[in-house]
Amino acid sequence: MPEFERVAAVSEIPPGGRLSILVDDLPSLLVRIGDEFLAVEDVCSHDGQPLTNGPVEGCAIICPRHGAKFDLRSGQPLCMPAIEPISTFEVQVRDGEIYVRPRS
Ligand code: FES
């Protein structure tokens, strides 16, 4: 089972905010929706575009290149042109710190 690694403090990300992080050397994105933190691979499964600056709608992020939308909880694509999911990570918040690990 992979270990959780600390990636940020809760205070670094306001509600609606996001932070670029590395998880196992993989560019990833930590997004705060209300009090929930979600972490996904920061690479669109359609053609490799970083999702870093993509708009967030509800619990989904939209690829800024061709408009594919991904569920931030499951990583599943919600519309074309993406047909493959992106990776999501387990997130834990403990004592004001955010920890992330790959799903096994
Ligand atoms: S690269 Fe993301 S939708 Fe095409």
Side-chain angles (χ1 to χ4, degrees), residues 72-86:
L72 285 164
R73 290 195 179 97
S74 68
Q76 291 298 319
L78 300 174
C79 72
M80 297 290 277
I83 54 173
E84 297 291 329
I86 56 174

Side-chain angles (χ1 to χ4, degrees), residues 21-69:
I21 58 173
L22 286 174
V23 181
D24 270 358
D25 294 327
L26 186 71
S28 304
L29 194 60
L30 184 62
V31 179
R32 180 172 181 175
I33 298 174
D35 284 333
E36 185 178 14
F37 292 89
L38 299 160
V40 297
E41 171 186 9
D42 192 8
V43 181
C44 180
S45 65
H46 174 238
D47 200 21
Q49 170 74 30
L51 299 169
T52 316
N53 297 316
V56 170
E57 262 185 23
C59 191
I61 191 163
I62 299 168
C63 177
R65 188 147 155 223
H66 307 118
K69 189 190 280 193

